Amino acid sequence: MKDSHDMGLLLDSRVPLIVIETYDEKRALDLLLRVANQRKKGIFRWSVTDGLARLSFGPQVVAVADYTDPKEILEHIKQTVTPGIYVLCDFHHYLEGEPRRLRLIKDIAQLHYSVPNTLVFLSHQFSLPSEISRYSAVLQLALPSDEEITAIIREEAKQWAEGKPGERVKTDSDTLRKLVANLKGLSHSEVRRLARGAIIDDGAITEDDIPAVNKAKFELMDMEGVLSFEYNTAKFSNVGGLNRLKTWLNERHDIFCDSAADFKDVPKGIMLTGVQGGGKSLAAKSIAGLWGLPLLRLDFAALYNKFFGETERNLREALKLAELMAPCVLWLDEIEKGLSSDQHDSGTSKRVLGSLLTWMAERKARVFMVATSNDITALPPELVRKGRLDEIFFVDLPDKPTRAEIFSIHLNKRDLAAQNFDLDLLADQAEGFSGAEIEQAIVAAIYSAAARKTDVSEQHIVDEIRNTSPLSVVMAEKISALRNWARERAVSAG
């Protein structure tokens, strides 16, 4: 086992101070106990509630001394002449502004070659002050592999079935694979808890459980802030047109989502640019839905901070957290608003761009980036060149068949049977309309019909279309220029 091997190396190398950051305290203590027994070393656990106790296998805790004061336990260890391993739990609370305790730790570390006592600081988060950090090493506990996650899920399924004689947990191989992929990045105990939650309500692991598991994982990692979890991902059946984009994504689904496969060139991401209201945001949500992955949205408005260096730190933290959620889709909506330079921003936009480009070039985690932009000409050229992203797709105004499809989607969505409407007529009337404008025409028609206490008819929708000036008319020159730009620089998504 890798963790046992690494811990053994640290003990054999005579490292006096070891830091373990984990929420899975029990697993860390079991690991330390096994390694200590292999080396025939005494091992003790200290906490502010229990004082000092000898660790052993089994439920019994053997109290050694009632040292609940942090200074007292350090003085006791310093005076002890019998070598041992001392696990200090949650000791991060007791170091800041405490020079005597820091000196005691330093004394213990410097006495290590005469009395090899080892201090293990076990906490969810721990940073040693600089004066003692050079005596230390950090042990990162390995997260469970795909095989271990699968075994944990099967154990929980077996345990559920034992309480329901004659019943078994229902699932299929594809859903199980998605659940395993989405539980990666969590500790063994967290995997077990979320797997149990997915099973216990109905004795089945279904597609409907995946979003809930992803949201719970997001909350466990405390990611709220500039990075938000989009719970309701869309289905591509709710997106009219964009057939080339759908084909492109389907061809890359298996390569990106199969984390066990060893592909050197994993899809990196795409840029979606085009006319406002054309469905770029809906398409971004649909990619996560199509691939069965969590969707994270990076909010550039929340990213920026007035203090020097804080904005770049916020970005780095958000990207690091996205990697912990891998495999996932990271959606950067209206990216030009966050990266277009401003002469009054003291170079912040350039530094943010630099941090983003570095991450895009160096990331190893399976984070598929989807950037959407209404004005790609405002973006720096180094971001949109080939190699940073896999492809740039242009989302144009829908043609007639796509408009008819969009009418059908939004009518059915509102329990208005699309087959009762002349979709060809509506598509002809809505020439030059975006998908968002078509949806709003239907919504306005519903309001109009309700006011007149009648059922919604084609004429209601036609009237609303005729009362609307679409963006393609209001901003005809800008849209024409955007189309000319995209003709030779982007791939049509339709």
Side-chain angles (χ1 to χ4, degrees):
M1 188 176 177
K2 183 179 182 298
D3 290 337
S4 297
H5 176 263
D6 292 347
M7 187 66 205
L9 284 179
L10 292 178
L11 292 175
D12 295 341
S13 301
R14 305 288 296 274
V15 177
L17 310 178
I18 298 173
V19 174
I20 301 178
E21 291 183 330
T22 181
Y23 285 95
D24 202 343
E25 184 176 294
K26 183 179 184 304
R27 179 166 171 263
L29 290 171
D30 288 344
L31 165 70
L32 290 164
L33 181 56
R34 283 198 308 272
V35 175
N37 283 349
Q38 288 169 2
R39 283 158 178 76
K40 295 182 170 51
K41 285 198 168 193
I43 181 168
F44 305 86
R45 171 188 175 273
W46 177 89
S47 71
V48 71
T49 53
D50 295 331
L52 189 65
R54 181 182 291 276
L55 275 183
S56 62
F57 290 108
Q60 295 296 326
V61 176
V62 182
V64 174
D66 189 23
Y67 294 128
T68 55
D69 182 87
K71 180 174 68 70
E72 287 181 345
I73 186 59
L74 292 175
E75 288 175 342
H76 170 76
I77 296 170
K78 180 183 175 182
Q79 295 166 6
T80 300
V81 294
T82 304
I85 300 170
Y86 293 86
V87 186
L88 307 180
C89 297
D90 300 327
F91 214 78
H92 59 285
H93 294 295
Y94 311 113
L95 289 184
E96 190 173 346
E98 293 290 342
R100 181 172 177 81
R101 293 174 192 168
L102 287 176
R103 184 65 233 186
L104 283 167
I105 294 172
K106 193 171 184 179
D107 289 344
I108 294 167
Q110 291 179 338
L111 288 169
H112 186 76
Y113 281 95
S114 57
V115 183
N117 285 318
T118 304
L119 300 186
V120 179
F121 298 99
L122 177 58
S123 179
H124 78 287
Q125 190 175 37
F126 202 95
S127 178
L128 285 173
S130 57
E131 57 261 53
I132 57 175
S133 62
R134 64 179 54 210
Y135 300 101
S136 70
V138 177
L139 175 67
Q140 294 281 354
L141 294 184
L143 296 173
S145 64
D146 287 6
E147 292 76 15
E148 289 175 309
I149 293 174
T150 303
I152 291 171
I153 295 171
R154 294 189 188 283
E155 287 171 11
E156 289 301 317
K158 182 180 178 182
Q159 187 171 343
W160 181 89
E162 287 174 353
K164 308 277 186 179
E167 294 189 38
R168 294 180 60 187
V169 173
K170 302 177 183 67
T171 189
D172 58 80
S173 57
D174 188 53
T175 305
L176 182 61
R177 178 186 58 77
K178 287 181 181 179
L179 180 61
V180 170
N182 289 322
L183 287 174
K184 293 191 72 171
L186 297 175
S187 68
H188 290 71
S189 61
E190 290 165 341
V191 167
R192 188 173 297 280
R193 178 148 53 95
L194 295 192
R196 185 183 304 138
I199 293 169
I200 201 167
D201 59 338
D202 58 1
I205 300 172
T206 66
E207 289 280 350
D208 293 337
D209 291 315
I210 302 299
V213 167
N214 286 331
K215 189 172 189 296
K217 177 180 176 180
F218 183 86
E219 291 169 350
L220 279 172
M221 293 182 172
D222 193 22
M223 294 184 178
E224 291 294 347
V226 298
L227 205 61
S228 59
F229 181 88
E230 296 289 321
Y231 189 79
N232 293 316
T233 56
K235 296 181 179 179
F236 250 121
S237 58
N238 296 330
V239 183
L242 306 187
N243 294 321
R244 286 192 183 92
L245 174 60
K246 293 175 184 177
T247 300
W248 190 94
L249 291 166
N250 280 322
E251 289 174 348
R252 288 156 179 78
H253 170 271
D254 292 342
I255 292 176
F256 186 83
C257 295
D258 188 358
S259 58
D262 185 21
F263 292 106
K264 291 184 178 179
D265 298 310
V266 176
K268 301 173 184 176
I270 57 174
M271 173 81 71
L272 298 175
T273 186
V275 182
Q276 292 186 34
K280 299 184 296 297
S281 296
L282 183 60
K285 293 181 178 181
S286 299
I287 293 170
L290 177 69
W291 286 359
L293 298 177
L295 176 65
L296 308 179
R297 182 174 178 268
L298 182 62
D299 184 358
F300 277 105
L303 184 70
Y304 277 77
N305 190 294
K306 66 180 179 179
F307 296 108
F308 185 84
E310 281 296 297
T311 300
E312 303 90 287
R313 186 184 67 81
N314 286 343
L315 177 63
R316 288 193 298 271
E317 286 296 313
L319 296 175
K320 180 181 177 183
L321 292 172
E323 290 185 346
L324 291 175
M325 283 291 291
C328 66
V329 175
L330 177 63
W331 173 26
L332 283 66
D333 194 23
E334 298 189 6
I335 190 173
E336 72 275 12
K337 293 183 178 179
L339 296 181
S340 56
S341 60
D342 187 322
Q343 60 180 345
H344 302 298
D345 72 354
S346 304
T348 300
S349 295
K350 290 184 178 179
R351 293 194 298 273
V352 167
L353 174 63
S355 297
L356 181 61
L357 293 178
T358 299
W359 175 80
M360 290 171 68
E362 296 180 355
R363 76 182 186 272
K364 303 297 183 187
R366 293 180 183 240
V367 179
F368 188 79
M369 179 175 150
V370 181
T372 59
S373 173
N374 292 322
D375 184 9
I376 198 170
T377 59
L379 291 171
E382 56 266 43
L383 177 67
V384 296
R385 72 165 176 81
K386 282 281 189 177
R388 300 289 188 194
L389 296 163
D390 297 313
E391 195 58 85
I392 299 173
F393 285 97
F394 180 69
V395 181
D396 204 348
L397 291 170
D399 57 15
K400 181 180 175 180
T402 304
R403 291 197 298 274
E405 185 182 354
I406 293 171
F407 271 111
S408 177
I409 289 170
H410 288 296
L411 286 168
N412 289 327
K413 185 178 178 181
R414 290 161 177 83
D415 297 324
L416 298 171
Q419 64 268 23
N420 296 334
F421 292 79
D422 188 340
L423 298 180
D424 283 339
L425 170 66
L426 295 175
D428 282 330
Q429 292 291 321
E431 184 175 0
F433 275 56
S434 68
E437 289 166 337
I438 289 173
E439 181 180 16
Q440 286 309 304
I442 295 173
V443 171
I446 292 172
Y447 293 153
S448 178
R452 292 169 174 79
K453 294 182 170 53
T454 62
D455 294 332
V456 180
S457 67
E458 291 156 16
Q459 193 57 47
H460 289 115
I461 300 175
V462 169
D463 289 344
E464 295 301 333
I465 290 172
R466 290 173 178 171
N467 290 332
T468 302
S469 293
L471 202 63
S472 60
V473 174
V474 176
M475 303 185 69
E477 296 81 5
K478 188 171 182 180
I479 290 176
S480 177
L482 182 59
R483 281 172 164 167
N484 289 333
W485 181 95
R487 191 169 290 118
E488 297 181 357
R489 297 177 175 87
V491 174
S492 173

